[in-house]
Structure formats: structure tokens, C-alpha cells
């Protein structure tokens, strides 16, 4: 069935995104950080500190890469499905990308589609616009997929949001959340005496949140990984639906 195969790729990408969410949620359930009162012997002062003691699972880049691959390859399958449905040869047919409209029109991949499937060529050029200056997010999917062929798509921890509670003599006084950097953070307790330190503490209080973004040098630099992958799914699914409604 036409358009079924590209959607299978999209569904597989969703499966990888779910795996990514599960892996991250499993990680935040672990003891990957310490929170409490710390004494720095070098400066002989007390600090409220959050120390990150573990790293993200090392298979996250491969899960991200698998999701991106399936999203990107669904577009090639889409073009080939339309060609097969029209009795055309699919050899050398690919979903074309370029940096701007002029280069897109001149590209060999687009010219082959123009020759083989002129109605698809018009749809691509005027509506889908798979070039950097036309549809950046779509162009970015292809760029990200190309990067993944040469290096892992390493996710970057932007920050942690750590919920904690403050207790004094074992009694809860207040609660809060502290957003800290990848290595943790600490706050100098300048007005606190040693006697007071013995009476209170800061403890964990709920499930942390990790803000994970794409690395520098990628089209989606500093964008949240999971949300961006979900947007890619929505974008490509919309293109498949557009083809189904416009080509048939």
C-alpha cells in the first residue's frame, strides 16, 4: 500500500524516542547525585551542595541516531513509493535537499524527480521547500542524519533540576528546586555556625529533571533532544499526509 512503508519508518522512529525517554527516566531514578551539607577543608567553610556523581547511559547517542535515521529514510521511501505507484524506475531516486532554492532546482536529484515525477517536483519546490532557506527544520533533519553517519549524536546536559527539602532537627521546614549545571553546584553558608550545621540538613525530595539538548555544530544546537525529535516526527508525518492528499 502506498504511503504505508514510510509511515512504518516513522513509527519505528517513535519507538526509538520512547526508548530514549525510558532510558533517561530510568537514569533519574538512580543515585546519580548527592545533596547535602558539605565541608570544604581548603577554605574551612560549609556549603549546601549538589554533586553529580554519574553520567548518562552511553547508548543514548545510538538511540538518537536510530530515531533520526528512520525519520530521514522515510522521506526516501516516500519518493520511491510514489514512483512505483506510477510505474516509474526508482533507481537513483532520493528525497532531495539543498542549501537554497537555486541550488535545489539545479541539483541532479531534483532534476531526476522533475523528469520522472513532475507533479512531485512542483510540490517539493513550491510547498515542501526542502532547502535550508525554505524549510530549515526539514533541511536540519537531513543534515543531522548526515552528521550521524560520521560521528555519534552526543546529547549534552544543559542542567539538572533537583528537588530538595530543608529539615531542622529532623523536622521539615521548607522545600524547593535547584537548577544546577552539568557538574553540580554549591552555595556558601556564610552566616551559619558549626552548632547550627548539626541541627539542619538538605535532603532529596522527589524526582529530578534533566535538560538534555543537541550539541554545538548541529542544526538543532541547544534545542531539547526529545521535544525536537517529536517535532521532526510531526513535520515528516505532515509531509507524508500532504503527498497522500496531493499526489493521488
Amino acid at each position: 500500500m502506498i504511503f504505508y512503508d514510510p509511515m512504518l519508518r516513522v513509527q519505528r522512529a517513535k519507538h526509538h524516542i520512547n526508548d530514549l525517554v525510558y532510558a533517561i527516566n530510568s537514569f533519574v531514578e538512580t543515585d546519580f547525585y548527592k545533596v547535602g551539607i558539605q565541608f570544604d577543608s581548603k577554605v574551612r567553610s560549609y556549603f549546601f551542595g549538589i554533586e553529580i556523581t554519574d553520567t548518562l547511559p552511553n547508548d543514548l547517542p545510538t538511540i538518537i541516531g536510530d530515531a533520526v535515521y528512520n525519520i530521514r529514510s522515510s522521506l526516501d521511501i516516500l519518493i520511491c513509493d510514489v514512483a512505483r505507484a506510477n510505474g516509474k524506475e526508482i533507481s537513483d531516486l532520493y528525497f532531495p535537499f539543498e542549501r537554497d532554492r537555486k541550488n535545489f532546482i539545479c541539483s541532479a536529484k531534483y532534476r531526476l524527480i522533475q523528469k520522472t515525477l513532475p507533479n512531485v517536483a512542483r510540490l517539493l519546490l513550491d510547498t515542501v521547500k526542502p532547502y535550508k532557506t525554505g524549510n530549515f527544520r526539514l533541511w536540519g533533519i537531513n543534515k543531522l542524519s548526515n552528521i550521524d553517519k560520521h560521528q555519534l549524536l552526543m546529547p549534552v546536559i544543559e542542567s539538572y533540576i533537583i528537588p530538595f527539602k530543608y529539615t531542622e532537627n529532623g523536622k521539615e521546614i521548607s522545600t524547593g528546586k535547584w537548577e544546577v549545571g552539568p557538574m553540580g553546584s554549591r552555595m556558601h553558608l556564610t552566616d551559619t555556625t558549626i552548632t547550627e550545621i548539626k541541627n539542619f540538613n538538605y535532603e532529596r525530595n522527589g524526582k529530578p529533571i534533566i535538560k538534555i539538548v543537541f550539541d554545538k555544530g548541529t542544526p538543532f544546537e541547544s534545542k531539547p533532544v526529545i521535544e525536537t525529535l517529536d517535532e521532526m516526527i510531526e513535520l515528516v508525518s505532515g509531509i507524508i499526509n500532504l503527498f497522500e492528499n496531493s499526489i493521488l
Side-chain angles (χ1 to χ4, degrees):
M1 183 186 299
I2 190 171
F3 305 117
Y4 178 75
D5 289 353
M7 285 307 299
L8 278 181
R9 286 287 194 185
V10 171
Q11 291 302 319
R12 187 61 186 173
K14 290 181 180 179
H15 176 81
H16 289 303
I17 295 171
N18 289 337
D19 286 346
L20 182 64
V21 171
Y22 178 81
I24 294 172
N25 286 339
S26 297
F27 176 75
V28 299
E29 296 288 350
T30 66
D31 295 326
F32 71 91
Y33 69 98
K34 296 177 182 178
V35 57
I37 305 298
Q38 303 165 352
F39 179 73
D40 190 328
S41 59
K42 293 181 179 179
V43 296
R44 302 193 62 78
S45 293
Y46 285 93
F47 294 84
F48 164 48
I50 294 177
E51 179 185 2
I52 307 302
T53 58
D54 202 358
T55 58
L56 291 172
N58 57 17
D59 61 345
L60 293 193
T62 62
I63 300 175
I64 295 170
D66 287 342
V68 172
Y69 167 78
N70 279 279
I71 294 169
R72 169 62 186 90
S73 64
S74 70
L75 296 170
D76 286 336
I77 295 173
L78 173 63
I79 293 294
C80 291
D81 266 8
V82 174
R84 276 189 289 263
N86 286 273
K88 304 295 185 179
E89 175 61 46
I90 67 168
S91 129
D92 297 323
L93 274 181
Y94 300 93
F95 197 98
F97 289 91
E98 272 296 342
R99 64 179 180 271
D100 55 39
R101 182 183 175 93
K102 179 180 179 180
N103 283 278
F104 184 77
I105 293 172
C106 296
S107 68
K109 291 179 181 179
Y110 175 74
R111 287 186 172 183
L112 180 58
I113 293 175
Q114 194 175 36
K115 178 181 177 181
T116 308
L117 302 163
N119 54 339
V120 171
R122 287 191 295 271
L123 186 65
L124 287 172
L125 181 63
D126 297 327
T127 304
V128 180
K129 302 178 181 180
Y131 39 90
K132 186 177 182 180
T133 58
N135 190 333
F136 180 84
R137 287 195 304 155
L138 181 59
W139 174 87
I141 294 173
N142 183 65
K143 181 66 174 179
L144 200 62
S145 181
N146 287 338
I147 292 173
D148 183 59
K149 295 174 183 176
H150 303 280
Q151 66 186 59
L152 292 176
L153 298 174
M154 300 297 296
V156 175
I157 297 174
E158 185 176 67
S159 64
Y160 300 89
I161 299 177
I162 308 291
F164 64 88
K165 63 181 177 180
Y166 161 55
T167 62
E168 186 172 351
N169 292 320
K171 181 180 179 181
E172 182 178 310
I173 302 300
S174 63
T175 61
K177 294 180 180 179
W178 195 3
E179 185 166 1
V180 302
M183 303 303 295
S185 185
R186 66 182 190 174
M187 177 175 62
H188 190 193
L189 302 176
T190 52
D191 300 323
T192 305
T193 67
I194 294 178
T195 301
E196 290 172 328
I197 287 291
K198 294 178 180 178
N199 294 331
F200 69 79
N201 195 20
Y202 289 91
E203 303 172 8
R204 299 183 181 206
N205 187 40
K207 185 176 180 180
I209 297 172
I210 305 178
K211 292 184 177 180
I212 302 175
V213 300
F214 280 104
D215 201 359
K216 293 180 179 178
T218 67
F220 304 104
E221 178 178 327
S222 300
K223 298 293 184 182
V225 170
I226 293 173
E227 291 85 344
T228 302
L229 290 173
D230 285 337
E231 290 173 0
M232 292 180 192
I233 291 282
E234 182 178 0
L235 175 60
V236 170
S237 297
I239 291 172
I240 295 172
N241 290 332
L242 174 66
F243 270 61
E244 185 172 10
N245 295 327
S246 302
I247 301 302
L248 293 183

